[in-house]
Amino acid sequence: MSTTVAFEKARAEGRAALIGYLPAGYPTVDGSIAALKAMVEAGVDAVEIGLPYSDPVIDGPTVQAAVEAALKAGTTTADVLRVVEAVAATGAPAVVMSYWNPLQRYGAAAFARDLAAAGGSGVITPDLTPDADDSWIPAAREHGLDTVFLVAPSSTDERIAMTTAACRGFVYATSVMGVTGTREQVGDAASGLVARTKATTELPVAVGLGVSNAAQAAEIAAFADGVVVGSAFVRRMLDAPDPASGAASIAELAADLARGVRER
């Protein structure tokens, strides 16, 4: 099921879609499944499941801490696919966020096949541009997966057009330059970037990097089709005394953010 379904549902309700991120395997594989399910039950429209990787170049310290813990616990790509399968069973689109190296090692065709078999909707590839590799897009298309690439404030109009042409499902617009992490204010470049991106595509445009509360979600929902929240959810898990408390805290934040995207 394409992530487009989540955006269409949100659009029909006159609001932006809410996408939540957590890395698979933190605090445990089963713990991440429970937390992601809690997120969906509390109002997240689609989930972004991180594939733990040892060199997460754009992840800030919060996400890095969780990813490192997941790796130390032995989380594998097979575990990530198990998380995808469990979350997809809820009916919410489940996309994997992965750097290119792990997918390349697994094999683009094999990963596309196995992700589709697990019920996954697609992959967000933050460090892969559409023109950098000729294996991933054909493999994803063969299995009906969304290919979500990133555009940034530094992207030229030409690069944005090239990127959106290769996207399926939605386009991921990074609202600020630099690594991920919650911020006090949403980047000023976000609305301009969304406008430039929308000029090149009919696909939904979701904004991520930095959203941590309902007010920021509402601010972005006023001009974007979707709001992506990652570090704020991960922080809830990191600060929790146990997995059950973490899942409850994540549900609380998801409900707050879900109200925010409805206040556009």
Side-chain angles (χ1 to χ4, degrees), residues 33 35 71 89 126 142-143 155 158 192 206 212-213 226 248-249:
I33 289 172
L71 287 171
E142 180 181 351
H143 294 280
S155 301
E158 182 181 24
S212 60
N213 57 53
S249 183

Side-chain angles (χ1 to χ4, degrees), residues 77-166:
T77 301
D79 290 326
V80 175
L81 293 170
R82 181 159 75 85
V83 175
V84 169
E85 187 170 22
V87 176
T90 68
V95 296
V96 168
M97 194 291 280
S98 178
Y99 291 94
W100 176 234
N101 186 269
L103 301 190
Q104 193 174 37
R105 286 205 311 266
Y106 195 95
F111 189 80
R113 177 199 66 213
D114 293 350
L115 179 61
S121 298
V123 182
I124 300 167
T125 46
D127 65 339
L128 180 69
T129 58
D131 56 347
D133 171 82
D134 60 6
S135 64
W136 172 241
I137 292 175
R141 297 284 186 272
E142 180 181 351
H143 294 280
L145 297 173
D146 292 342
T147 49
V148 183
F149 297 100
L150 273 62
V151 294
S154 60
S155 301
T156 64
D157 290 344
E158 182 181 24
R159 293 294 298 182
I160 289 175
M162 182 274 291
T163 302
T164 60

Side-chain angles (χ1 to χ4, degrees), residues 160-181:
I160 289 175
M162 182 274 291
T163 302
T164 60
C167 285
R168 296 292 185 274
F170 68 100
V171 183
Y172 194 128
T174 58
S175 64
V176 292
M177 299 298 291
V179 299
T180 62

Side-chain angles (χ1 to χ4, degrees), residues 5 29 31 44 51 110 133 158 169 188 191-192 204 207 252 263:
V5 174
V29 174
V44 167
L51 191 159
D133 171 82
E158 182 181 24
D188 293 336
S191 59
V207 171
E252 180 183 47
E263 294 173 359

